[in-house]
Amino acid sequence: MRKRTELDERQLWQRGNVFKHAFVFLLGALAAEGACKAFGITWAEGPWEAVLLIWASVALCWWEFILRDISPMGRSQKTFFFAMGLCGLCIVVMELASLAAGRGPLLKEAMLTSAGATTLIGCLMASILGVYLAKSLRDKRRPAGDEE
């Protein structure tokens, strides 16, 4: 069976670093959440604390993949970025529309509500497309052969 994408040694090494960075971020975020819980601080209701931390870690992975020019999904990666970003934008628009309709606040008693957490997840998803578009624009403006 043929692989969909072939990564060179540098990309494989950098991919490992990306996963390491995301894992260290997630460990640090979970430790900070545990410290908050120990002091009686709840910053999001229900399971949304953990869900947001996981989405933040996933977004961090994709941002690094984009910025380091690593393509673990091959040619279908561009489609994935657009799908992820547009879904995120739709989530944000729907949540803001429901907020305008009076469904419920984003914050309640200094805690993120379900609507607030969903809006942040949508922003994280849309940011993946934003980083991809910014990187693509930067690469087009940079002369060929200009390496940092």
Side-chain angles (χ1 to χ4, degrees):
M1 181 174 202
R2 190 170 173 213
K3 294 181 183 179
R4 285 177 25 163
T5 181
E6 296 289 331
L7 298 176
D8 60 23
E9 279 186 43
R10 178 191 63 83
Q11 288 176 324
L12 286 172
W13 176 72
Q14 285 184 332
R15 184 179 68 173
N17 283 341
V18 167
F19 289 134
K20 178 179 66 176
H21 296 155
F23 183 70
V24 169
F25 169 80
L26 189 58
L27 285 178
L30 288 172
E33 181 190 4
C36 286
K37 291 283 187 197
F39 291 114
I41 300 170
T42 303
W43 57 274
E45 63 183 24
W48 291 107
E49 291 174 334
V51 172
L52 278 166
L53 295 180
I54 291 169
W55 267 106
S57 181
V58 168
L60 176 67
C61 269
W62 282 110
W63 297 337
E64 261 197 272
F65 279 142
I66 293 166
L67 295 174
R68 294 180 183 267
D69 288 325
I70 303 170
S71 301
M73 294 174 58
R75 292 177 297 176
S76 65
Q77 193 159 310
K78 181 178 178 181
T79 306
F80 173 78
F81 293 148
F82 276 94
M84 178 74 75
L86 293 176
C87 285
L89 286 175
C90 287
I91 290 171
V92 170
V93 168
M94 288 189 301
E95 285 298 328
L96 293 179
S98 68
L99 177 68
R103 184 181 132 222
L106 298 179
L107 292 172
K108 184 178 179 182
E109 299 174 9
M111 279 192 314
L112 275 175
T113 62
S114 165
T118 306
T119 303
L120 279 179
I121 290 170
C123 289
L124 286 169
M125 291 171 72
S127 73
I128 293 169
L129 176 60
V131 170
Y132 173 73
L133 292 175
K135 175 80 162 89
S136 297
L137 184 64
R138 182 176 148 234
D139 288 348
K140 284 181 183 176
R141 289 186 177 176
R142 182 185 306 159
D146 182 22
E147 296 292 324
E148 291 181 9

